[in-house]
Amino acid sequence: MSDSEELSEQEVYDAKMATDTDIQTFKTTLIRAANMASSALARATILLLRDLVVKRRWQTARELLQLIRAAGRQIETARPGESVIGNMIKRVLRLVRDAYDQCVRAEGLVDEGATGVLVTQSLQNNFLQAEKEADYKRIFKNLKNIVIEKVNDLLEELQNTAHDIAEQSLEHIHSNEVIMTLGHSKTIQAFLIAAHGKGRTFHVIVAEGAPTCDGHAMAKELASTGIETTVITDAAIYAIMARVNKVIIGTSAVMADGGLMAQNGAHGMCMAARAHSVPVLVGAGMFKLCPRYLCSYDQDAFNSLGCPSAMASFEDAIMSEKVDCLNPLFDYVPPDLVTLFISNLGGNAPSYVYRLLSEYYHELDYEL
């Protein structure tokens, strides 16, 4: 099949998804649910894709890949700044490819489209055929069941993510430590509460995370469980850092280079931590691992702006005429400022992110 014919196939699926009722309803839900947690967004996206696998007509893995890719392009337009949605789409695409490979291996053969001949799998064959991509055109009766099983496993993994991260708390939090965090992260909240519940005694300093100041809610939740908690302003982070044993923060996304797309103010906190030789631990589920590269000077590529009224009142008419007031929601934190990632799979250094990417996503799916 020529490239033009392949492109036209994908365009047909794109056109169908652009007018699909289920997809458009889901997009509307995403737009209206502006405060939906990232884990809830990931779960809703997986459920939608599972419905596509179950209810839509397709025969080969190739058709299913095109169907999911077309649906993903539509879904991403609803929340372009939310990387979790794209992550789950690309993860399911990888699961479809793995399911197809599993069907091929069950026959003791490799795909004809990838090799041109039928030979047994081996490390040497995988290396020699690395540049050749399977066409995913074979028809397997059990392919749908395998894909559904893998998607269900992904849902179960997502459901247990916070618990699996919290279970590692005793490995990283020790008695009488002073820990600093930023804003309100449910993952970090559960992590700290789990350590306290298992007998660890420590002091948590919460930077309020202006202008939203959601750190106050975080401090209230921690204090209610008996954890010694202190709230500070963001301006006091550097002054207090000398007393801190470690920094533990959450993030919205872990980028392909090991950097973070974290709450505004995280970059300054990590810089202060490096100046005082304080380790920075980042708690994030694998569903936040994103196969994209970003950098601090390319703000338009990843950042979003909040309402400026949080920074300056609209009543200050004179000032608003002379000053541009920006309220960025995220900070890019480069990987050299991060000591360790704590995910549901365990702890990994930022330099290991490339390996996790190769396990969770296929390189052909990095861009939908």
Side-chain angles (χ1 to χ4, degrees), residues 211 304-316 319-320 323-329:
S304 299
L305 298 179
C307 180
S309 63
M311 307 291 295
S313 172
F314 285 110
E315 296 176 356
D316 300 328
M319 185 187 74
S320 62
V323 177
D324 291 331
C325 186
L326 301 180
N327 180 19
L329 301 180

Side-chain angles (χ1 to χ4, degrees), residues 13-285:
Y13 282 101
D14 290 339
K16 289 181 179 179
M17 291 297 102
T19 58
D20 185 86
T21 303
D22 292 339
I23 297 297
Q24 298 308 315
T25 301
F26 185 74
K27 287 176 61 177
T28 302
T29 302
L30 292 181
I31 294 172
R32 292 178 177 175
N35 297 323
M36 185 182 293
S38 57
S39 58
L41 281 174
R43 178 175 176 80
T45 303
I46 296 172
L47 289 174
L48 175 69
L49 297 179
R50 187 178 65 177
D51 286 343
L52 289 178
V53 174
V54 173
K55 299 178 181 179
R56 300 308 164 93
R57 254 183 159 176
W58 55 273
Q59 289 186 316
T60 65
R62 179 188 180 89
E63 294 175 357
L64 182 57
L65 289 171
Q66 291 175 332
L67 177 65
I68 295 175
R69 189 175 289 112
R73 289 172 178 169
Q74 287 294 318
I75 296 170
E76 279 195 320
T77 59
R79 297 281 287 272
E82 188 61 64
S83 62
V84 169
I85 297 174
N87 295 347
M88 292 301 96
I89 296 167
K90 295 162 188 173
R91 179 65 180 139
V92 172
L93 288 172
R94 174 60 185 263
L95 294 180
V96 174
R97 295 179 187 273
D98 289 346
Y100 179 83
D101 292 341
Q102 181 177 333
C103 291
V104 171
R105 287 196 302 271
E107 296 184 358
L109 305 169
V110 295
D111 186 36
E112 291 181 357
T115 63
V117 293
L118 298 179
V119 294
T120 56
Q121 286 278 18
S122 69
L123 181 62
Q124 181 181 10
N125 290 329
N126 289 339
F127 178 77
L128 294 175
Q129 304 299 333
E131 299 300 322
K132 299 182 180 180
E133 177 60 28
D135 56 19
Y136 299 99
K137 289 182 178 180
R138 286 191 183 186
I139 297 177
F140 295 100
K141 293 181 179 180
N142 61 336
L143 178 60
K144 176 181 284 190
N145 292 334
I146 296 176
V147 171
I148 294 173
E149 181 182 353
K150 288 182 177 294
V151 173
N152 288 336
D153 290 342
L154 178 60
L155 282 170
E156 184 177 356
E157 176 187 328
L158 181 63
Q159 183 177 356
N160 297 328
T161 292
H163 175 266
D164 293 341
I165 294 176
E167 283 295 304
Q168 306 171 56
S169 58
L170 292 185
E171 301 175 16
H172 304 285
I173 298 178
H174 306 95
S175 295
N176 302 319
E177 283 190 329
V178 178
I179 297 169
M180 181 177 287
T181 188
L182 173 68
H184 189 192
S185 167
K186 291 184 178 180
T187 301
I188 303 305
Q189 176 184 315
F191 187 80
L192 297 172
I193 291 176
H196 177 72
K198 295 177 181 179
R200 291 286 194 263
T201 302
F202 51 91
H203 181 193
V204 178
I205 298 175
V206 184
E208 62 181 2
T212 59
C213 295
D214 52 352
H216 292 273
M218 175 75 154
K220 183 177 179 179
E221 293 289 341
L222 295 178
S224 67
T225 64
I227 299 176
E228 184 181 358
T229 309
T230 303
V231 180
I232 63 172
T233 62
D234 296 344
I237 289 176
Y238 189 87
I240 300 296
M241 189 62 71
R243 298 179 51 197
V244 174
N245 296 109
K246 58 172 59 82
V247 171
I248 305 179
I249 59 174
T251 183
S252 295
V254 179
M255 311 314 297
D257 62 347
L260 307 178
M261 179 180 173
Q263 179 178 346
N264 187 25
H267 187 216
M269 177 176 286
C270 293
M271 290 284 288
R274 182 170 68 174
H276 289 86
S277 300
V278 175
V280 176
L281 280 59
V282 179

